[in-house]
Amino acid sequence: MKGYAMLKIGESGWIEKERPKCGPMDAILAPLAVAICTSDVHTLWEGAIGERHNMILGHECSAEVVEVGECVKDFKPGDRVLVPAITPDWNSLEAQAGYSMHSGGMLAGWKFSNFKDGVFSEYFHVNDADGNLAKMPEGMDPVDACILSDMVPTGFHGVELADVQFGDSVLVVGIGPVGLMSVAGAALRGASRIIAVGTRPVCIEAAKGYGATDFISYKNGPIEEQVLALTGGKGVDKAVIAGGSVETFAPVVKCLKAGGKIGNVNYLGNGTSIEIPRIEWGVGMGHKQINGGLMPGGRLRMEKLSSLVSAGKLDLHPEVTHVFDGWDYLEEALFLMKDKPADLIKPVVRIRK
């Protein structure tokens, strides 16, 4: 089979590999559509998780089941399925402890294009098919279904980590594909005010549709000063960090109320450490919490999130701004995500309708 791989840091291309083998609890799938993630950019060009050689990239897709193992009960060849970017080992001790995304070690639930070939290939392998796959709802566009792989569960997890409650004022830093879903998740959870940090007009327009009420730009001065000015010096109840860098934490801590919570789902692709401002953190006693987490995977999560789409509670169309047809356009879509032109939110490559 062919696959689009990271050859080494900074270099990628098409390679030939043997089709993966199917274990008794597993499945082999063929992509219907694949989406490009900023994490692919961090992995390939920044070496964020270290050197990888001839590793097939990609962790966002919708797919069709090609083969299942003898112990798989709920899926069969021909089924169209949702595939979460995180595919835990559900019989692990970490899963039993409530942290399935870290099954086998920290971040080890993230298998695709981390230590296992990803989904940018003619066929790919999914472990524990009954636990990790979900049936694609009838009539769902496979292009939209890609957004359920990662953007929705990651953006929503940021909201969960921040513990957004009815009536909260919420700051969302970064309104790319993940941040937009954090805006949507905060609105669904009952936030009364959502202040979004972003600059690209296409993202601002989408964020308005998802429920953002105010917008600020880091280009107009320090984030914390703008947030404090908007809130009469009070700051916000909760914050979600879905973009930025290791320098982003300090201004967010500065504009967070005492007892506030930060949910970080931003992939920190470089940097050594983050700085927490001592005074604004209440000299260590301000009850300002920072929670950083990898999105949960699993079938139940996918079924619940996709039910929001089916019920008309969540519209995924604004997330996808560029659709390509066929594997030949995968590299173009990847470089588009790297360059991030002004009209881009998310590129998706449709393989089959």
Side-chain angles (χ1 to χ4, degrees):
M1 69 173 191
K2 69 175 183 178
Y4 192 84
M6 175 180 177
L7 307 179
K8 63 179 184 178
I9 293 175
E11 290 188 21
S12 59
W14 290 101
I15 63 173
E16 289 286 334
K17 276 197 170 184
E18 184 179 350
R19 174 175 154 170
K21 300 290 192 299
C22 186
M25 298 176 62
D26 307 336
I28 306 299
L29 286 77
L32 295 170
V34 298
I36 315 297
C37 183
T38 304
S39 299
D40 297 313
V41 174
H42 290 316
T43 298
L44 174 56
W45 280 287
E46 297 178 13
I49 55 174
E51 188 66 87
R52 299 291 190 275
H53 295 282
N54 298 332
M55 182 187 69
I56 294 174
L57 291 165
H59 54 267
E60 298 179 4
C61 74
S62 57
E64 183 176 303
V65 177
V66 174
E67 180 185 353
V68 297
E70 59 191 35
C71 296
V72 175
K73 298 179 290 185
D74 297 328
F75 298 92
K76 64 183 185 305
D79 284 344
R80 291 189 159 207
V81 293
L82 304 172
V83 186
I86 306 305
T87 53
D89 299 306
W90 289 99
N91 62 350
S92 65
L93 295 179
E94 293 87 353
Q96 293 178 38
Y99 294 98
S100 60
M101 65 287 284
H102 303 299
S103 59
M106 189 166 66
L107 307 184
W110 169 29
K111 295 177 171 57
F112 295 133
S113 68
N114 182 5
F115 53 82
K116 165 184 173 177
D117 281 331
V119 304
F120 293 168
S121 58
E122 292 179 291
Y123 302 99
F124 65 94
H125 171 273
V126 172
N127 60 293
D128 196 351
D130 282 331
N132 283 316
L133 300 177
K135 298 283 180 66
M136 190 186 303
E138 191 70 31
M140 179 174 285
D141 187 337
V143 169
D144 286 347
C146 289
I147 306 303
L148 284 162
S149 285
D150 189 358
M151 301 299 95
V152 178
T154 297
F156 278 32
H157 193 44
V159 174
E160 292 169 329
L161 291 170
D163 191 29
V164 174
Q165 301 291 324
F166 296 125
D168 277 345
S169 58
V170 180
L171 174 67
V172 177
V173 181
I175 47 173
V178 170
L180 287 172
M181 290 298 95
S182 292
V183 171
L188 284 168
R189 275 209 163 190
S192 60
R193 189 177 194 182
I194 302 173
I195 303 170
V197 180
T199 58
R200 285 185 288 159
V202 66
C203 296
I204 291 172
E205 196 59 35
K208 288 178 183 176
Y210 285 126
T213 56
D214 303 86
F215 294 88
I216 61 176
S217 169
Y218 63 89
K219 296 180 180 179
N220 295 333
I223 290 173
E224 69 274 19
E225 291 181 6
Q226 296 181 69
V227 172
L228 291 170
L230 280 174
T231 59
K234 294 179 179 179
V236 293
D237 298 301
K238 308 291 171 57
V240 179
I241 299 178
S245 65
V246 292
E247 286 81 27
T248 304
F249 290 82
V252 176
V253 169
K254 289 178 180 179
C255 62
L256 189 69
K257 292 178 181 178
K261 297 178 182 179
I262 297 171
N264 177 73
V265 286
N266 187 34
Y267 183 123
L268 297 174
N270 51 48
T272 303
S273 59
I274 65 171
E275 181 179 334
I276 305 301
R278 182 181 62 87
I279 297 296
E280 291 86 356
W281 198 39
V283 294
M285 296 179 287
H287 289 93
K288 295 187 180 185
Q289 300 179 34
I290 301 174
N291 299 308
L294 182 66
M295 61 157 265
R299 177 177 175 180
L300 179 62
R301 179 82 165 179
M302 290 296 101
E303 288 180 348
K304 286 193 171 186
L305 294 179
S306 65
S307 71
L308 289 172
V309 180
S310 299
K313 304 286 187 181
L314 179 64
D315 182 8
L316 301 178
H317 292 302
E319 284 273 81
V320 181
T321 52
H322 294 65
V323 179
F324 301 87
D325 282 296
W327 284 121
D328 291 344
Y329 292 95
L330 181 68
E331 188 167 78
E332 181 179 344
L334 177 64
F335 275 80
L336 196 69
M337 199 66 179
K338 177 177 182 283
D339 297 335
K340 284 189 170 60
D343 63 341
L344 177 76
I345 296 179
K346 191 76 169 177
V348 175
V349 179
R350 181 166 45 209
I351 311 302
R352 291 182 293 153
K353 294 184 179 180

